[in-house]
Amino acid sequence: MNRSELYAHLAQNRRLLGMARDRFASLTDGLDHPGIDSAREELAAADEALSSAAGGISLWIRHCISLLAYGMSAWAVSAFTGRLLGLPAGWTIAVTVATLLALASPVSMLKDAIADRVNHRRTMAPASPPGPVTPDDPDPAAGLIMMLRSVRDGLTVAMRRLSGAHRFGFLAHSAAGFDWLRRHDRHLFEVSLADRLLCQAIDSIEIWRGRVAPEPAARWRILSLTAEPVKAIDAELHECAESAELAAVAVQHAELDGPRRTPAVIGRLESAAGMLRSAAEAHSSLPAFSRREMTMAALTPSVWAISCVALLAITPNPAEPIRLAIILTGTILLSMVVGNVVSATWTRREARRLAIAVNRPDDARNAIAQLWAKINTVAGALKPASNDRHPEVGRRIDAALFWIDAADDALAETAER
């Protein structure tokens, strides 16, 4: 799927999703129900994910914007502080570097704003009025769900074509490979996310309609208090959230070439993943980073700092505005190139390891059972009497178990059909 085809496909599905959102708004005007509120949020998030699937601006365009902003700022600040204010060379360099560091967040926000605008233009389709909701329609919500299922069908086609066209597309034959692929491809990542959000929205609408009332067995409330304690609850909760999302992606992957399953399975597993992330945040506000993320976060600024200090030490009159701007922007470019090379090498090594790994058959029921065991272990490590945060964490884990059990029930119902 080339880019023009992708943009047209996304625009078509965003248009249909917009019609579904308008119909849902008119259908639920003045009504109040938890399912309605959830569906509105999920439909809005799905629309945003579809827009982001266009990819925004390329990595090198982002680099060019950064270099232009940093270069102009370095020249302007060094000329102002060194020539107009007459500060010594050391102070001129220090103020200029501090200014560039302070500009990192605004420049990142600028690039994101440009990317959002580009995505909106690429996925914008001519507006059309929603289908009328008439009193004669015996079940107007059924038409709405059919529209959302049509959007899902279009996204399934997009995921299949995007994974097949990827240079590591051979990994998509397994759920683990497809999950890795979507994490390393921004187009596939957002399309997959939009599809799972639509599953959540459809399930929320069905709950509001009263057609589906997930009431898992009472076992979800019974947490084992004899489980082995864990040392890092935060890490375990994040791992459980990743496992729940992987289970949802596994069902999503099975639908690419197999029979369509009820959206409730994917939607409820995604809801469980969200509750587990919420539990991790309630336990600790510190974000979780992977080894790769921490390595890249340390590598890029280290390369910039070392190369910058080295060039400033060997360059005569380094505080001269043009020279200082070239040194600072040149070392920033060097750190970007080194970071991109290391990231690409890391990606290729991960792909090779995944390609030679033994892939077990995808089994959603088995994945849910393993997830249950992991969460049960974490729940057994909570100590409500000695930690004020643990009761709230436990409530959110309970909610996650509720959705996991509901997903298991929906999966069993699908298998019986």
Side-chain angles (χ1 to χ4, degrees):
M1 175 179 284
N2 58 43
R3 293 193 176 185
S4 59
E5 292 177 343
L6 174 63
Y7 301 154
H9 193 78
L10 292 175
Q12 179 182 2
N13 284 281
R14 273 200 78 196
R15 175 174 171 269
L16 184 57
L17 179 57
M19 294 171 60
R21 291 181 65 190
D22 292 340
R23 172 172 288 195
F24 184 64
S26 62
L27 188 63
T28 58
D29 186 26
L31 300 180
D32 185 21
H33 188 278
I36 294 176
D37 297 335
S38 298
R40 285 172 179 163
E41 295 175 1
E42 290 148 3
L43 290 175
D47 183 72
E48 182 178 353
L50 275 181
S51 177
S52 300
I57 53 180
S58 68
L59 182 63
W60 288 108
I61 292 180
R62 283 180 171 269
H63 289 346
C64 289
I65 293 174
S66 298
L67 293 175
L68 181 62
Y70 291 142
M72 293 178 62
S73 300
W75 177 84
V77 172
S78 59
F80 177 76
T81 56
R83 293 182 176 178
L84 295 182
L85 297 182
L87 293 180
W91 279 106
T92 298
I93 295 174
V95 171
T96 303
V97 172
T99 302
L100 295 190
L101 293 176
L103 283 175
S105 180
V107 170
S108 178
M109 293 173 62
L110 173 63
K111 292 184 290 187
D112 291 340
I114 295 174
D116 290 341
R117 194 165 191 81
V118 170
N119 286 334
H120 180 72
R121 289 180 63 86
R122 286 173 176 171
T123 59
M124 185 171 56
S128 61
V133 180
T134 62
D136 297 333
D137 191 348
D139 191 0
L144 169 65
I145 292 177
M146 289 182 61
M147 295 172 68
L148 295 178
R149 289 180 181 272
S150 297
V151 177
R152 283 205 67 216
D153 291 340
L155 298 185
T156 299
V157 173
M159 286 188 288
R160 187 184 301 119
R161 296 181 64 181
L162 284 171
S163 59
H166 198 277
R167 60 173 178 163
F168 298 122
F170 58 88
L171 297 174
H173 68 279
S174 68
F178 178 76
D179 179 66
W180 182 91
L181 203 62
R182 71 165 184 100
R183 292 177 186 273
H184 292 80
D185 184 280
R186 54 185 172 175
H187 304 292
L188 187 58
F189 179 86
E190 297 293 347
V191 173
S192 173
L193 175 61
D195 181 65
R196 299 197 306 276
L197 287 168
L198 287 177
C199 290
Q200 288 182 280
I202 292 173
D203 191 42
S204 297
I205 294 172
E206 292 282 14
I207 292 174
W208 161 61
R209 295 171 68 201
R211 296 296 181 87
V212 176
E215 294 184 2
R219 67 180 184 274
W220 72 273
R221 299 180 180 275
I222 303 174
L223 302 180
S224 172
L225 298 179
T226 60
E228 290 294 329
V230 294
K231 296 181 179 180
I233 295 180
D234 296 347
E236 292 292 333
L237 285 172
H238 282 291
E239 183 179 347
C240 289
E242 293 296 322
S243 298
E245 184 173 327
L246 177 58
V249 172
V251 180
Q252 187 180 54
H253 171 262
E255 290 187 345
L256 295 183
D257 298 310
R260 303 287 282 177
R261 301 188 180 185
T262 172
V265 179
I266 299 176
R268 294 171 186 179
L269 286 171
E270 191 70 16
S271 297
M275 291 306 304
L276 289 169
R277 292 192 190 94
S278 176
E281 293 171 359
H283 187 267
S284 174
S285 59
L286 295 177
F289 297 102
S290 65
R291 178 186 174 189
R292 177 172 180 171
E293 290 172 335
M294 291 188 293
T295 301
M296 297 306 300
L299 176 65
T300 303
S302 298
V303 171
W304 176 69
I306 294 172
S307 59
C308 186
V309 170
L311 285 179
L312 289 173
I314 65 176
T315 302
N317 192 16
E320 200 275 328
I322 293 296
R323 292 182 184 178
L324 184 57
I326 291 175
I327 290 173
L328 294 178
T329 55
T331 52
I332 290 174
L333 177 61
L334 175 63
S335 66
M336 291 175 175
V337 172
V338 171
N340 291 340
V341 171
V342 172
S343 179
T345 303
W346 201 313
T347 298
R348 286 195 295 270
R349 291 184 62 185
E350 286 182 348
R352 291 194 188 101
R353 286 198 300 266
L354 191 60
I356 63 178
V358 177
N359 294 309
R360 297 179 179 179
D362 301 331
D363 186 354
R365 300 297 297 274
N366 184 52
I368 290 175
Q370 293 178 356
L371 183 58
W372 255 95
K374 288 182 180 179
I375 297 176
N376 210 33
T377 301
V378 178
L382 298 177
K383 299 178 181 179
S386 60
N387 195 315
D388 293 337
R389 294 172 298 174
H390 283 193
E392 178 60 27
V393 175
R395 283 190 289 269
R396 300 186 186 191
I397 290 178
D398 278 357
L401 290 171
F402 174 92
W403 286 115
I404 292 172
D405 205 6
D408 193 31
D409 292 344
L411 191 63
E413 292 176 3
T414 303
E416 293 173 358
R417 295 176 184 175

